[in-house]
Amino acid sequence: MSIRLPMLMLAVLAAIIASAPIVAAQDDLENPLEPLDTSSPQATITSFIEQAGVTEEAALAYRTDRSLDAQQAYFDAVGQTRGLFDLTEVPAASQAEVVEESFVALADILLRVPLPELDSMPDAEMVAADELTQWTLPGTEITLRTLEEGDRAGSWVFSPRTVANLPGWRNEVEGLPVLAEDRAITDWRENSDVSTGPLVPAAFVDALPGFSKERLLGSPLWKTIVALLGGVLVGLLTVLWHRWIGRRGPGDTIRRHVFGATTPLFLFVLIGIYGWFMGSQINPSGELAELIVAATTITFWGAVAWLFYELVQIFAEWMIRTPRLSDKTYDPHLIRLVARVVSVLGVGLIILFGANQIGIPALGLLAGASVAGLAVGLAAQPTLENFIGGMTLFADKPFQIGDYVRFGDDDGTVEEIGARSTRIRKLDGTQLTVPNKDIVDSRIANSTTRDNALFLHTIGVRYETTLEQIEWLVGHIREGLREHPKVEEDENMPRVLLAGFGASSIDIEARAYVDTTSVHEFMAVQAELLAMIMRAVEEAGTGMAFPSTTAYLTRDDGIEGPEALATGEASGPPDAAETPEPANPEPKVAVDENLHAEPDQAEEDD
C-alpha cells in the first residue's frame, strides 16, 4: 500500500511534465475560427491590414500551386474579412461576391492613401471614454460604425455606405503610387482579373488579345463573354430537354407531370455546374459577379417553383387514381382545381422568397401584391364570383361530369367544371360555356340522378268521339304501355285516364315511368310509345283534335233601359198565347254569349 501511492504520484507528475510542451505548443497555434478583432476603429483597421497580408500569402501560394486546395485557401482568407464589413444592406445571395469586391477595393485604396499612425486611431478605451459610435478615416470618406443589434453588437465595421462606394473610390485612386513597399501584390484588382481556376491555364489568359482584357461590368471583357455564353448554353439545354423529355405523356396524367418534373431537376444540375465553373474557374468580379449571382438565384428559385407545381400535380393525379380515394366524394375536377390553387399560392410564396434573396424585400412585394390584389379583386369581381360559384358547385354537387342537366332555357351534358365556368355539350353538338355564378343562381334539374324517366302526355281526341271509343282507347293505350319492356309496372302505373274536356278536345292523360336514366334512351322509348298511341287512336276510329273556334252571330237589340220600365212598355218574357207570329218571321240563330259581333253577319270557323 505504501509503495503504490508514491508510484501513482510519480506517474501523475510525469504526465504533467510531458503535457506541458503540448499545452505550450497549442498556445502558440492560431485558432482559424477566431474572428478578427473589431473592438475599435484601430482594431478593425489593423485586423484588415493583417488579414490582407495573410491573403497575399495565400494568393502567392496559389500562383505556384494551382490546385483546388490552394485556391480554396485564398478564398477562405478573403472570406475571413467578412466580419469587417456591414452587409445589412447587401442581398444574402450576393454577400460573398460583395465581400471579395470590397476587400480588393479597400486593399488597393489603403496601399495608395496615407494612413495616420495607428496610435492616433481610436482604441477601445477612447471609444468608451468618448462614447463614439462612428469614425471616419482622416483624409477619406471611409467610415466605420458600431453595430447596434445582433450577436455582434458593439463591433466596429465599415459602414454600408462605405461598402457600396468602395469600388468607385478604388477607381479614383487608380494611377496613384503605392505607398507600401513591402507588399508583393500592389494591385489587387489586376490580381483578381488574371486569377482563374486550375482548369483555365494562366498561359491561356496571357495569350488573349488586349481588347479582351478591357473591363466591362467590373470584369475583363473575356470573362463577361464567357458568362454570357454559359448562360445561353444553360437556357438552350433546358429548352431542348423540356421539348424532348419534359413534355412526354398525354394531358393531365402522372406520367406527364413526372416527366415535367425532370426539367427543373435538370436545370438544378445545369445551374450548379454553371455556378461552380464561373465562381471557381472564371472568377468574375464587380457587377458581373453580382449579375451572375442574381441570375442563378432567380433561375434556381424559379426551378424550385416549377418543381413544386409539378409535385402538387403529381400528388393530385395520384389521389384521383388511388383506389382508396376512388369514392365519388373525391371529384377529380375538384382535386385538380384545388391543386391548381395550391400550386399558384405556393409558386407565389417561393418567388417572393427568391426575390428576397436577391435584395427585393419580400414584405414590400407582399404589401404591393396585397394592394394590387385588392385592386384586381375589385375590378375582377365577376371572376371572383364565378370562382366562388365553382367551389359551391363542387361542395354542393348538384351534378357531376357526364350528367345531363337542365337550367333555365338550356340543357345538355356536363363536360367540365372549371374555376370560372362550366362547359355543357348540348344535344345539337354545340358546346355551351356558362359562368358558374349563373348556374348556381339557377334552378337545376339533373336528369341523370333520377331513378327513372317520366312519360307524361295528354292525348286530345275530337269531340265527335263516342264514349265507347274513348273507353276502348283508354284500355288499349294502357295495355300498350304495359307491354313495352322499358315501362315499369305496379298496381298504380302505368296510368291512363280520361282527364277532362279541353277547349277543342276530349283529353286523355297517359302517365308511365320508363326504366332508364339516359336522356337518349328515354327519347327513343318515348318515340315508340307515342307511335303506339297514334296507331291506337286511328284504330279507335277517331282522330286527334286540333284547336278550333265556332262563332254564332245574330242581331243584338241591346238591353232595355230604366225608361221603358217606368212607362210600362218593357217587354216581358214572350207569351206564345198573346204574341202572334209575324207574317214573315226572321230566322233565329243561336248566339254564343261570350261573342260579340255586328248584326246581319254569320260566320263559322272550324
Side-chain angles (χ1 to χ4, degrees):
M1 186 74 176
S2 59
I3 298 177
R4 291 181 179 179
L5 182 60
M7 292 295 294
L8 181 60
M9 295 178 63
L10 288 175
V12 172
L13 181 61
I16 294 174
I17 295 174
S19 63
I22 299 176
V23 174
Q26 290 179 346
D27 292 338
D28 294 337
L29 292 177
E30 295 183 0
N31 182 6
L33 300 180
E34 183 179 358
L36 300 179
D37 187 3
T38 55
S39 59
S40 64
Q42 181 186 110
T44 299
I45 296 291
T46 302
S47 296
F48 181 84
I49 294 174
E50 292 177 351
Q51 189 62 28
V54 175
T55 306
E56 182 182 65
E57 294 178 1
L60 296 175
Y62 178 63
R63 290 181 182 180
T64 58
D65 178 20
R66 293 177 60 84
S67 64
L68 291 176
D69 292 338
Q71 184 187 39
Q72 188 60 44
Y74 167 76
F75 289 150
D76 291 342
V78 174
Q80 194 70 15
T81 63
R82 182 190 189 96
L84 304 179
F85 301 101
D86 188 346
L87 304 176
T88 54
E89 298 182 6
V90 179
S94 304
Q95 288 185 359
E97 286 70 22
V98 171
V99 167
E100 182 177 2
E101 184 179 8
S102 300
F103 168 80
V104 169
L106 184 58
D108 281 343
I109 292 172
L110 295 184
L111 287 174
R112 288 166 174 78
V113 297
L115 296 177
E117 296 293 334
L118 289 178
D119 295 341
S120 65
M121 299 180 185
D123 57 10
E125 295 181 358
M126 296 176 61
V127 168
D130 297 338
E131 297 182 353
L132 293 178
T133 59
Q134 183 171 304
W135 181 78
T136 301
L137 186 67
T140 69
E141 297 182 64
I142 299 175
T143 303
L144 294 89
R145 71 172 189 178
T146 57
L147 295 177
E148 297 180 357
E149 299 178 353
D151 297 337
R152 301 181 61 236
S155 298
W156 282 84
V157 294
F158 294 97
S159 66
R161 178 178 178 275
T162 299
V163 172
N165 291 326
L166 279 176
W169 294 341
R170 166 61 180 81
N171 294 334
E172 295 180 9
V173 300
E174 181 72 28
L176 295 180
V178 177
L179 303 179
E181 300 179 354
D182 58 340
R183 292 297 185 183
I185 299 178
T186 58
D187 193 332
W188 283 97
R189 174 178 287 180
E190 180 182 359
N191 178 78
S192 177
D193 289 346
V194 300
S195 176
T196 57
L199 299 180
V200 183
F204 169 78
V205 178
D206 296 338
L208 291 173
F211 75 88
S212 65
K213 299 178 182 179
E214 296 293 331
R215 300 182 63 80
L216 178 64
L217 298 177
S219 290
L221 177 60
W222 73 269
K223 292 188 177 182
T224 305
I225 295 174
V226 171
L228 180 60
L229 293 178
V232 171
L233 181 62
V234 170
L236 180 61
L237 292 176
T238 303
V239 170
L240 293 177
W241 180 280
H242 183 61
R243 286 186 177 181
W244 293 340
I245 298 177
R247 294 192 298 183
R248 291 189 177 183
D252 290 332
T253 60
I254 295 180
R255 184 171 180 267
R256 175 64 175 264
H257 291 296
V258 168
F259 278 105
T262 62
T263 301
L265 292 175
F266 181 67
L267 189 55
F268 288 148
V269 176
L270 294 180
I271 293 173
I273 295 174
Y274 177 78
W276 171 83
F277 181 76
M278 294 301 303
S280 64
Q281 303 303 316
I282 303 302
N283 192 24
S285 57
E287 295 91 339
L288 178 61
E290 296 183 27
L291 284 175
I292 292 175
V293 170
T296 54
T297 302
I298 292 173
T299 306
F300 173 80
W301 288 108
V304 171
W306 188 348
L307 181 61
F308 174 81
Y309 173 82
E310 296 293 351
L311 292 178
V312 171
Q313 303 307 314
I314 290 172
F315 181 72
E317 295 299 327
W318 172 81
M319 287 184 62
I320 293 172
R321 288 163 175 75
T322 300
R324 296 180 180 178
L325 303 179
S326 60
D327 190 82
K328 291 183 179 179
T329 56
Y330 293 89
D331 192 288
H333 288 265
L334 174 60
I335 294 176
R336 290 193 179 102
L337 178 60
V338 172
R340 290 172 185 171
V341 173
V342 172
S343 299
V344 171
L345 294 178
V347 167
L349 292 177
I350 292 172
I351 291 177
L352 287 177
F353 183 81
N356 188 68
Q357 295 297 304
I358 61 174
I360 303 177
L363 292 178
L365 284 177
L366 191 59
S370 300
V371 174
L374 179 60
V376 172
L378 294 175
Q381 185 175 358
T383 302
L384 295 178
E385 291 178 349
N386 289 323
F387 176 78
I388 296 174
M391 300 304 296
T392 303
L393 291 177
F394 282 117
D396 193 41
K397 290 188 178 299
F399 51 78
Q400 295 181 356
I401 306 301
D403 289 356
Y404 188 89
V405 298
R406 297 187 187 90
F407 58 96
D409 297 332
D410 296 307
D411 57 1
T413 303
V414 180
E415 289 190 341
E416 181 180 351
I417 306 174
R420 193 198 69 84
S421 61
T422 298
R423 291 178 175 84
I424 296 175
R425 184 72 61 180
K426 301 187 70 175
L427 291 178
D428 60 1
T430 59
Q431 187 182 68
L432 182 65
T433 301
V434 186
N436 291 330
K437 178 180 179 297
D438 294 346
I439 296 181
V440 172
D441 293 340
S442 302
R443 296 180 62 184
I444 303 171
N446 192 335
S447 300
T448 305
T449 57
R450 59 190 178 183
D451 297 332
N452 45 37
L454 176 63
F455 176 87
L456 176 61
H457 286 274
T458 299
I459 303 100
V461 297
R462 297 172 61 89
Y463 265 104
E464 293 83 0
T465 308
T466 65
L467 180 59
E468 291 77 9
Q469 289 175 311
I470 290 176
E471 291 176 346
W472 181 90
L473 186 58
V474 168
H476 196 74
I477 293 176
R478 184 184 297 114
E479 291 301 321
L481 293 175
R482 288 176 176 175
E483 291 175 358
H484 197 283
K486 297 297 293 184
V487 173
E488 296 181 353
E489 184 178 356
D490 57 27
E491 58 182 7
N492 296 320
M493 300 295 289
R495 185 172 64 201
V496 182
L497 298 171
L498 180 62
F501 301 100
S504 304
S505 63
I506 301 174
D507 296 334
I508 300 172
E509 182 184 88
R511 181 188 297 264
Y513 288 113
V514 180
D515 185 16
T516 182
T517 60
S518 171
V519 175
H520 303 286
E521 185 178 8
F522 170 73
M523 295 178 66
V525 173
Q526 178 177 251
E528 296 174 359
L529 297 178
L530 291 177
M532 178 270 296
I533 292 174
M534 291 182 65
R535 286 192 295 267
V537 172
E538 184 177 354
E539 292 175 5
T542 183
M544 296 290 186
F546 52 88
S548 62
T549 302
T550 302
Y552 299 94
L553 303 177
T554 185
R555 184 184 300 277
D556 186 359
D557 294 331
I559 302 175
E560 296 176 343
E563 294 81 3
L565 295 175
T567 59
E569 297 177 354
S571 59
D575 191 344
E578 298 178 0
T579 304
E581 291 289 337
N584 297 315
E586 296 181 357
K588 298 295 183 179
V589 183
V591 179
D592 188 276
E593 294 180 353
N594 295 321
L595 299 176
H596 300 279
E598 296 297 329
D600 298 331
Q601 293 182 0
E603 177 179 346
E604 178 172 313
D605 180 20
D606 189 1

